Amino acid sequence: MKISIGCDHIVTEIKDHLVKYLEARGHEVTDNGTYDKKRTHYPVYGVKTAKKVADGDADLGIVLCGTGVGITISANKLKGIRAALVEDVEAARYAREKLNANVLGIGGRIVGIGLIERIVDAFLETEYEPSAENEQTNQQIDAFLAGKDPAQDERLFDDLIEKWNRGEYADR
Ligand code: RB5
């Protein structure tokens, strides 16, 4: 798999560890930096990393900063990017399987390295399930980009809410 990865200066050593971890497992990794501990700003690396995914130069992306929050939000500003901030294995699987997340966000000061490896494994191993329900949800999320505003269109999710009301949706 082609993986695009990037981080800010707070967690460079964790990103470097993941580059080696992924390469040892046969992945082709593009390391977008940063490369040292000199102060930088996470949006630069969030966008740089996500752009490779958005442009089709990488299959999936991984972005890391101290909390993971700033760099994940930055990555999400690109069209076609669905970045998920994940702190456990279950959420990593959910993000891929249901929401077709294509960038994994990690807080290197929040999550320990052992768990980070398991989260990365789960994110890369899990495939998106393009069921009618998942497709519908994701198309509706994408519809926001096309100018639909859920605050103006309260009926946008009626189909899904009816489904939940009929007990046909299992919350996770
Ligand atoms: C450092 O800039 C720190 O604020 C950053 O790594 C991150 O935690 C933001 O979400």
Side-chain angles (χ1 to χ4, degrees), residues 51-86:
K51 192 168 186 317
K52 302 263 177 10
V53 179
D55 290 349
D57 297 328
D59 301 308
L60 294 173
I62 300 174
V63 292
L64 304 101
C65 68
T67 62
V69 176
I71 202 159
T72 304
I73 289 177
S74 306
N76 265 321
K77 297 299 173 191
L78 275 75
K79 193 159 185 269
I81 292 302
R82 295 172 298 281
L85 176 61
V86 167

PDB file of all heavy atoms in Angstrom, residues 51-86:
ATOM      1  N   LYS A  51      -2.805  15.951   0.807  1.00  0.00           N
ATOM      2  CA  LYS A  51      -2.843  16.256  -0.631  1.00  0.00           C
ATOM      3  C   LYS A  51      -2.416  15.057  -1.470  1.00  0.00           C
ATOM      4  O   LYS A  51      -2.978  14.798  -2.536  1.00  0.00           O
ATOM      5  CB  LYS A  51      -1.963  17.475  -0.940  1.00  0.00           C
ATOM      6  CG  LYS A  51      -2.189  18.022  -2.335  1.00  0.00           C
ATOM      7  CD  LYS A  51      -1.560  19.374  -2.535  1.00  0.00           C
ATOM      8  CE  LYS A  51      -1.922  19.983  -3.897  1.00  0.00           C
ATOM      9  NZ  LYS A  51      -1.884  19.087  -5.023  1.00  0.00           N
ATOM     10  N   LYS A  52      -1.465  14.287  -0.973  1.00  0.00           N
ATOM     11  CA  LYS A  52      -1.007  13.088  -1.708  1.00  0.00           C
ATOM     12  C   LYS A  52      -2.173  12.099  -1.851  1.00  0.00           C
ATOM     13  O   LYS A  52      -2.315  11.436  -2.877  1.00  0.00           O
ATOM     14  CB  LYS A  52       0.152  12.419  -0.980  1.00  0.00           C
ATOM     15  CG  LYS A  52       1.361  13.323  -0.771  1.00  0.00           C
ATOM     16  CD  LYS A  52       2.396  13.094  -1.838  1.00  0.00           C
ATOM     17  CE  LYS A  52       3.614  13.986  -1.794  1.00  0.00           C
ATOM     18  NZ  LYS A  52       3.911  14.852  -0.710  1.00  0.00           N
ATOM     19  N   VAL A  53      -2.971  12.005  -0.810  1.00  0.00           N
ATOM     20  CA  VAL A  53      -4.138  11.097  -0.844  1.00  0.00           C
ATOM     21  C   VAL A  53      -5.198  11.672  -1.773  1.00  0.00           C
ATOM     22  O   VAL A  53      -5.728  10.973  -2.647  1.00  0.00           O
ATOM     23  CB  VAL A  53      -4.713  10.882   0.580  1.00  0.00           C
ATOM     24  CG1 VAL A  53      -5.928   9.969   0.541  1.00  0.00           C
ATOM     25  CG2 VAL A  53      -3.642  10.316   1.514  1.00  0.00           C
ATOM     26  N   ALA A  54      -5.477  12.958  -1.626  1.00  0.00           N
ATOM     27  CA  ALA A  54      -6.501  13.602  -2.459  1.00  0.00           C
ATOM     28  C   ALA A  54      -6.128  13.531  -3.942  1.00  0.00           C
ATOM     29  O   ALA A  54      -6.996  13.366  -4.797  1.00  0.00           O
ATOM     30  CB  ALA A  54      -6.678  15.059  -2.035  1.00  0.00           C
ATOM     31  N   ASP A  55      -4.845  13.628  -4.231  1.00  0.00           N
ATOM     32  CA  ASP A  55      -4.374  13.601  -5.633  1.00  0.00           C
ATOM     33  C   ASP A  55      -4.223  12.187  -6.180  1.00  0.00           C
ATOM     34  O   ASP A  55      -3.860  12.004  -7.346  1.00  0.00           O
ATOM     35  CB  ASP A  55      -3.014  14.318  -5.762  1.00  0.00           C
ATOM     36  CG  ASP A  55      -3.150  15.825  -5.566  1.00  0.00           C
ATOM     37  OD1 ASP A  55      -4.292  16.317  -5.550  1.00  0.00           O
ATOM     38  OD2 ASP A  55      -2.118  16.499  -5.413  1.00  0.00           O
ATOM     39  N   GLY A  56      -4.415  11.178  -5.326  1.00  0.00           N
ATOM     40  CA  GLY A  56      -4.297   9.789  -5.779  1.00  0.00           C
ATOM     41  C   GLY A  56      -2.862   9.269  -5.783  1.00  0.00           C
ATOM     42  O   GLY A  56      -2.587   8.187  -6.313  1.00  0.00           O
ATOM     43  N   ASP A  57      -1.942  10.030  -5.189  1.00  0.00           N
ATOM     44  CA  ASP A  57      -0.548   9.563  -5.132  1.00  0.00           C
ATOM     45  C   ASP A  57      -0.302   8.619  -3.957  1.00  0.00           C
ATOM     46  O   ASP A  57       0.770   8.016  -3.846  1.00  0.00           O
ATOM     47  CB  ASP A  57       0.405  10.769  -5.012  1.00  0.00           C
ATOM     48  CG  ASP A  57       0.311  11.657  -6.246  1.00  0.00           C
ATOM     49  OD1 ASP A  57       0.056  11.114  -7.340  1.00  0.00           O
ATOM     50  OD2 ASP A  57       0.460  12.885  -6.108  1.00  0.00           O
ATOM     51  N   ALA A  58      -1.260   8.538  -3.047  1.00  0.00           N
ATOM     52  CA  ALA A  58      -1.167   7.598  -1.918  1.00  0.00           C
ATOM     53  C   ALA A  58      -2.549   6.993  -1.685  1.00  0.00           C
ATOM     54  O   ALA A  58      -3.573   7.620  -1.980  1.00  0.00           O
ATOM     55  CB  ALA A  58      -0.698   8.319  -0.659  1.00  0.00           C
ATOM     56  N   ASP A  59      -2.563   5.752  -1.176  1.00  0.00           N
ATOM     57  CA  ASP A  59      -3.842   5.090  -0.883  1.00  0.00           C
ATOM     58  C   ASP A  59      -4.458   5.648   0.396  1.00  0.00           C
ATOM     59  O   ASP A  59      -5.658   5.902   0.463  1.00  0.00           O
ATOM     60  CB  ASP A  59      -3.614   3.581  -0.718  1.00  0.00           C
ATOM     61  CG  ASP A  59      -3.010   2.970  -1.969  1.00  0.00           C
ATOM     62  OD1 ASP A  59      -3.584   3.186  -3.060  1.00  0.00           O
ATOM     63  OD2 ASP A  59      -1.958   2.306  -1.870  1.00  0.00           O
ATOM     64  N   LEU A  60      -3.617   5.790   1.411  1.00  0.00           N
ATOM     65  CA  LEU A  60      -4.090   6.284   2.708  1.00  0.00           C
ATOM     66  C   LEU A  60      -3.046   7.228   3.302  1.00  0.00           C
ATOM     67  O   LEU A  60      -1.876   7.184   2.925  1.00  0.00           O
ATOM     68  CB  LEU A  60      -4.314   5.116   3.680  1.00  0.00           C
ATOM     69  CG  LEU A  60      -5.440   4.133   3.336  1.00  0.00           C
ATOM     70  CD1 LEU A  60      -5.419   2.947   4.293  1.00  0.00           C
ATOM     71  CD2 LEU A  60      -6.808   4.806   3.348  1.00  0.00           C
ATOM     72  N   GLY A  61      -3.506   8.064   4.250  1.00  0.00           N
ATOM     73  CA  GLY A  61      -2.585   8.985   4.916  1.00  0.00           C
ATOM     74  C   GLY A  61      -2.596   8.793   6.421  1.00  0.00           C
ATOM     75  O   GLY A  61      -3.578   8.278   6.986  1.00  0.00           O
ATOM     76  N   ILE A  62      -1.508   9.211   7.056  1.00  0.00           N
ATOM     77  CA  ILE A  62      -1.432   9.216   8.520  1.00  0.00           C
ATOM     78  C   ILE A  62      -0.860  10.562   8.936  1.00  0.00           C
ATOM     79  O   ILE A  62       0.198  10.971   8.430  1.00  0.00           O
ATOM     80  CB  ILE A  62      -0.523   8.075   9.050  1.00  0.00           C
ATOM     81  CG1 ILE A  62      -1.055   6.712   8.612  1.00  0.00           C
ATOM     82  CG2 ILE A  62      -0.417   8.144  10.583  1.00  0.00           C
ATOM     83  CD1 ILE A  62      -0.131   5.532   8.963  1.00  0.00           C
ATOM     84  N   VAL A  63      -1.553  11.276   9.827  1.00  0.00           N
ATOM     85  CA  VAL A  63      -1.064  12.568  10.301  1.00  0.00           C
ATOM     86  C   VAL A  63      -0.979  12.544  11.828  1.00  0.00           C
ATOM     87  O   VAL A  63      -1.855  12.006  12.507  1.00  0.00           O
ATOM     88  CB  VAL A  63      -1.968  13.735   9.835  1.00  0.00           C
ATOM     89  CG1 VAL A  63      -1.865  13.929   8.326  1.00  0.00           C
ATOM     90  CG2 VAL A  63      -3.429  13.550  10.233  1.00  0.00           C
ATOM     91  N   LEU A  64       0.095  13.115  12.342  1.00  0.00           N
ATOM     92  CA  LEU A  64       0.304  13.115  13.792  1.00  0.00           C
ATOM     93  C   LEU A  64       0.716  14.501  14.268  1.00  0.00           C
ATOM     94  O   LEU A  64       1.542  15.160  13.632  1.00  0.00           O
ATOM     95  CB  LEU A  64       1.428  12.162  14.195  1.00  0.00           C
ATOM     96  CG  LEU A  64       1.337  10.701  13.786  1.00  0.00           C
ATOM     97  CD1 LEU A  64       2.232  10.443  12.579  1.00  0.00           C
ATOM     98  CD2 LEU A  64       1.749   9.801  14.939  1.00  0.00           C
ATOM     99  N   CYS A  65       0.130  14.933  15.393  1.00  0.00           N
ATOM    100  CA  CYS A  65       0.655  16.081  16.124  1.00  0.00           C
ATOM    101  C   CYS A  65       0.490  15.753  17.607  1.00  0.00           C
ATOM    102  O   CYS A  65       0.227  14.599  17.946  1.00  0.00           O
ATOM    103  CB  CYS A  65      -0.006  17.399  15.708  1.00  0.00           C
ATOM    104  SG  CYS A  65      -1.735  17.593  16.162  1.00  0.00           S
ATOM    105  N   GLY A  66       0.664  16.737  18.485  1.00  0.00           N
ATOM    106  CA  GLY A  66       0.615  16.438  19.915  1.00  0.00           C
ATOM    107  C   GLY A  66      -0.695  15.802  20.324  1.00  0.00           C
ATOM    108  O   GLY A  66      -0.746  14.683  20.846  1.00  0.00           O
ATOM    109  N   THR A  67      -1.791  16.496  20.073  1.00  0.00           N
ATOM    110  CA  THR A  67      -3.115  15.952  20.396  1.00  0.00           C
ATOM    111  C   THR A  67      -3.717  15.203  19.219  1.00  0.00           C
ATOM    112  O   THR A  67      -4.659  14.434  19.384  1.00  0.00           O
ATOM    113  CB  THR A  67      -4.099  17.086  20.739  1.00  0.00           C
ATOM    114  OG1 THR A  67      -4.224  17.925  19.586  1.00  0.00           O
ATOM    115  CG2 THR A  67      -3.624  17.908  21.930  1.00  0.00           C
ATOM    116  N   GLY A  68      -3.234  15.483  18.041  1.00  0.00           N
ATOM    117  CA  GLY A  68      -3.830  14.929  16.815  1.00  0.00           C
ATOM    118  C   GLY A  68      -4.958  15.785  16.276  1.00  0.00           C
ATOM    119  O   GLY A  68      -5.363  15.640  15.114  1.00  0.00           O
ATOM    120  N   VAL A  69      -5.448  16.692  17.105  1.00  0.00           N
ATOM    121  CA  VAL A  69      -6.632  17.469  16.725  1.00  0.00           C
ATOM    122  C   VAL A  69      -6.333  18.462  15.598  1.00  0.00           C
ATOM    123  O   VAL A  69      -7.009  18.481  14.564  1.00  0.00           O
ATOM    124  CB  VAL A  69      -7.208  18.226  17.951  1.00  0.00           C
ATOM    125  CG1 VAL A  69      -8.375  19.097  17.526  1.00  0.00           C
ATOM    126  CG2 VAL A  69      -7.633  17.255  19.031  1.00  0.00           C
ATOM    127  N   GLY A  70      -5.300  19.271  15.797  1.00  0.00           N
ATOM    128  CA  GLY A  70      -5.002  20.332  14.822  1.00  0.00           C
ATOM    129  C   GLY A  70      -4.681  19.787  13.443  1.00  0.00           C
ATOM    130  O   GLY A  70      -5.197  20.277  12.424  1.00  0.00           O
ATOM    131  N   ILE A  71      -3.860  18.755  13.395  1.00  0.00           N
ATOM    132  CA  ILE A  71      -3.421  18.242  12.099  1.00  0.00           C
ATOM    133  C   ILE A  71      -4.557  17.490  11.396  1.00  0.00           C
ATOM    134  O   ILE A  71      -4.667  17.498  10.174  1.00  0.00           O
ATOM    135  CB  ILE A  71      -2.136  17.395  12.250  1.00  0.00           C
ATOM    136  CG1 ILE A  71      -1.388  17.323  10.915  1.00  0.00           C
ATOM    137  CG2 ILE A  71      -2.397  16.014  12.842  1.00  0.00           C
ATOM    138  CD1 ILE A  71       0.087  16.973  11.044  1.00  0.00           C
ATOM    139  N   THR A  72      -5.447  16.856  12.173  1.00  0.00           N
ATOM    140  CA  THR A  72      -6.589  16.151  11.570  1.00  0.00           C
ATOM    141  C   THR A  72      -7.577  17.159  10.982  1.00  0.00           C
ATOM    142  O   THR A  72      -8.072  16.979   9.867  1.00  0.00           O
ATOM    143  CB  THR A  72      -7.292  15.254  12.622  1.00  0.00           C
ATOM    144  OG1 THR A  72      -6.333  14.367  13.179  1.00  0.00           O
ATOM    145  CG2 THR A  72      -8.424  14.451  11.996  1.00  0.00           C
ATOM    146  N   ILE A  73      -7.843  18.213  11.716  1.00  0.00           N
ATOM    147  CA  ILE A  73      -8.745  19.253  11.197  1.00  0.00           C
ATOM    148  C   ILE A  73      -8.152  19.858   9.925  1.00  0.00           C
ATOM    149  O   ILE A  73      -8.856  20.066   8.924  1.00  0.00           O
ATOM    150  CB  ILE A  73      -8.998  20.350  12.261  1.00  0.00           C
ATOM    151  CG1 ILE A  73      -9.879  19.791  13.380  1.00  0.00           C
ATOM    152  CG2 ILE A  73      -9.644  21.590  11.638  1.00  0.00           C
ATOM    153  CD1 ILE A  73     -10.133  20.758  14.528  1.00  0.00           C
ATOM    154  N   SER A  74      -6.853  20.099   9.937  1.00  0.00           N
ATOM    155  CA  SER A  74      -6.200  20.679   8.749  1.00  0.00           C
ATOM    156  C   SER A  74      -6.334  19.753   7.548  1.00  0.00           C
ATOM    157  O   SER A  74      -6.672  20.192   6.440  1.00  0.00           O
ATOM    158  CB  SER A  74      -4.711  20.924   9.024  1.00  0.00           C
ATOM    159  OG  SER A  74      -4.559  21.700  10.180  1.00  0.00           O
ATOM    160  N   ALA A  75      -6.083  18.465   7.742  1.00  0.00           N
ATOM    161  CA  ALA A  75      -6.176  17.491   6.650  1.00  0.00           C
ATOM    162  C   ALA A  75      -7.588  17.471   6.069  1.00  0.00           C
ATOM    163  O   ALA A  75      -7.783  17.349   4.858  1.00  0.00           O
ATOM    164  CB  ALA A  75      -5.791  16.096   7.149  1.00  0.00           C
ATOM    165  N   ASN A  76      -8.573  17.636   6.935  1.00  0.00           N
ATOM    166  CA  ASN A  76      -9.971  17.566   6.499  1.00  0.00           C
ATOM    167  C   ASN A  76     -10.409  18.737   5.623  1.00  0.00           C
ATOM    168  O   ASN A  76     -11.501  18.706   5.055  1.00  0.00           O
ATOM    169  CB  ASN A  76     -10.897  17.471   7.709  1.00  0.00           C
ATOM    170  CG  ASN A  76     -11.253  16.026   8.017  1.00  0.00           C
ATOM    171  OD1 ASN A  76     -11.470  15.226   7.101  1.00  0.00           O
ATOM    172  ND2 ASN A  76     -11.306  15.686   9.290  1.00  0.00           N
ATOM    173  N   LYS A  77      -9.584  19.753   5.519  1.00  0.00           N
ATOM    174  CA  LYS A  77      -9.959  20.910   4.690  1.00  0.00           C
ATOM    175  C   LYS A  77      -9.841  20.623   3.201  1.00  0.00           C
ATOM    176  O   LYS A  77     -10.330  21.384   2.382  1.00  0.00           O
ATOM    177  CB  LYS A  77      -9.088  22.133   5.042  1.00  0.00           C
ATOM    178  CG  LYS A  77      -9.250  22.625   6.456  1.00  0.00           C
ATOM    179  CD  LYS A  77     -10.673  23.060   6.738  1.00  0.00           C
ATOM    180  CE  LYS A  77     -10.891  23.390   8.201  1.00  0.00           C
ATOM    181  NZ  LYS A  77     -12.322  23.551   8.519  1.00  0.00           N
ATOM    182  N   LEU A  78      -9.181  19.516   2.845  1.00  0.00           N
ATOM    183  CA  LEU A  78      -9.011  19.193   1.426  1.00  0.00           C
ATOM    184  C   LEU A  78     -10.200  18.397   0.908  1.00  0.00           C
ATOM    185  O   LEU A  78     -10.681  17.480   1.584  1.00  0.00           O
ATOM    186  CB  LEU A  78      -7.719  18.392   1.203  1.00  0.00           C
ATOM    187  CG  LEU A  78      -6.458  19.233   1.048  1.00  0.00           C
ATOM    188  CD1 LEU A  78      -6.017  19.787   2.389  1.00  0.00           C
ATOM    189  CD2 LEU A  78      -5.349  18.399   0.442  1.00  0.00           C
ATOM    190  N   LYS A  79     -10.620  18.746  -0.310  1.00  0.00           N
ATOM    191  CA  LYS A  79     -11.731  18.025  -0.940  1.00  0.00           C
ATOM    192  C   LYS A  79     -11.337  16.559  -1.127  1.00  0.00           C
ATOM    193  O   LYS A  79     -10.215  16.274  -1.555  1.00  0.00           O
ATOM    194  CB  LYS A  79     -12.033  18.676  -2.288  1.00  0.00           C
ATOM    195  CG  LYS A  79     -13.325  18.246  -2.890  1.00  0.00           C
ATOM    196  CD  LYS A  79     -13.804  19.266  -3.926  1.00  0.00           C
ATOM    197  CE  LYS A  79     -15.173  18.885  -4.447  1.00  0.00           C
ATOM    198  NZ  LYS A  79     -15.121  18.051  -5.621  1.00  0.00           N
ATOM    199  N   GLY A  80     -12.241  15.671  -0.788  1.00  0.00           N
ATOM    200  CA  GLY A  80     -11.969  14.238  -0.968  1.00  0.00           C
ATOM    201  C   GLY A  80     -11.310  13.594   0.230  1.00  0.00           C
ATOM    202  O   GLY A  80     -11.105  12.386   0.256  1.00  0.00           O
ATOM    203  N   ILE A  81     -10.961  14.405   1.235  1.00  0.00           N
ATOM    204  CA  ILE A  81     -10.309  13.844   2.422  1.00  0.00           C
ATOM    205  C   ILE A  81     -11.324  13.615   3.531  1.00  0.00           C
ATOM    206  O   ILE A  81     -12.142  14.482   3.843  1.00  0.00           O
ATOM    207  CB  ILE A  81      -9.175  14.777   2.911  1.00  0.00           C
ATOM    208  CG1 ILE A  81      -8.037  14.795   1.892  1.00  0.00           C
ATOM    209  CG2 ILE A  81      -8.653  14.323   4.287  1.00  0.00           C
ATOM    210  CD1 ILE A  81      -7.415  13.441   1.579  1.00  0.00           C
ATOM    211  N   ARG A  82     -11.252  12.416   4.091  1.00  0.00           N
ATOM    212  CA  ARG A  82     -12.066  12.063   5.252  1.00  0.00           C
ATOM    213  C   ARG A  82     -11.083  11.613   6.326  1.00  0.00           C
ATOM    214  O   ARG A  82     -10.691  10.445   6.396  1.00  0.00           O
ATOM    215  CB  ARG A  82     -13.062  10.946   4.896  1.00  0.00           C
ATOM    216  CG  ARG A  82     -14.104  11.368   3.865  1.00  0.00           C
ATOM    217  CD  ARG A  82     -14.944  10.206   3.387  1.00  0.00           C
ATOM    218  NE  ARG A  82     -14.140   9.206   2.731  1.00  0.00           N
ATOM    219  CZ  ARG A  82     -13.698   9.307   1.464  1.00  0.00           C
ATOM    220  NH1 ARG A  82     -14.003  10.361   0.729  1.00  0.00           N
ATOM    221  NH2 ARG A  82     -12.958   8.361   0.939  1.00  0.00           N
ATOM    222  N   ALA A  83     -10.650  12.585   7.131  1.00  0.00           N
ATOM    223  CA  ALA A  83      -9.640  12.306   8.153  1.00  0.00           C
ATOM    224  C   ALA A  83     -10.325  12.051   9.487  1.00  0.00           C
ATOM    225  O   ALA A  83     -11.218  12.791   9.893  1.00  0.00           O
ATOM    226  CB  ALA A  83      -8.679  13.477   8.268  1.00  0.00           C
ATOM    227  N   ALA A  84      -9.905  10.978  10.175  1.00  0.00           N
ATOM    228  CA  ALA A  84     -10.510  10.611  11.450  1.00  0.00           C
ATOM    229  C   ALA A  84      -9.453  10.601  12.551  1.00  0.00           C
ATOM    230  O   ALA A  84      -8.422   9.938  12.417  1.00  0.00           O
ATOM    231  CB  ALA A  84     -11.139   9.219  11.333  1.00  0.00           C
ATOM    232  N   LEU A  85      -9.714  11.359  13.612  1.00  0.00           N
ATOM    233  CA  LEU A  85      -8.839  11.338  14.784  1.00  0.00           C
ATOM    234  C   LEU A  85      -9.209  10.121  15.611  1.00  0.00           C
ATOM    235  O   LEU A  85     -10.345   9.990  16.072  1.00  0.00           O
ATOM    236  CB  LEU A  85      -9.014  12.617  15.603  1.00  0.00           C
ATOM    237  CG  LEU A  85      -8.238  12.685  16.916  1.00  0.00           C
ATOM    238  CD1 LEU A  85      -6.732  12.600  16.674  1.00  0.00           C
ATOM    239  CD2 LEU A  85      -8.572  13.979  17.650  1.00  0.00           C
ATOM    240  N   VAL A  86      -8.258   9.220  15.805  1.00  0.00           N
ATOM    241  CA  VAL A  86      -8.552   7.923  16.411  1.00  0.00           C
ATOM    242  C   VAL A  86      -7.639   7.676  17.607  1.00  0.00           C
ATOM    243  O   VAL A  86      -6.434   7.930  17.533  1.00  0.00           O
ATOM    244  CB  VAL A  86      -8.365   6.817  15.337  1.00  0.00           C
ATOM    245  CG1 VAL A  86      -8.350   5.445  15.970  1.00  0.00           C
ATOM    246  CG2 VAL A  86      -9.465   6.908  14.284  1.00  0.00           C
TER     247      VAL A  86
END
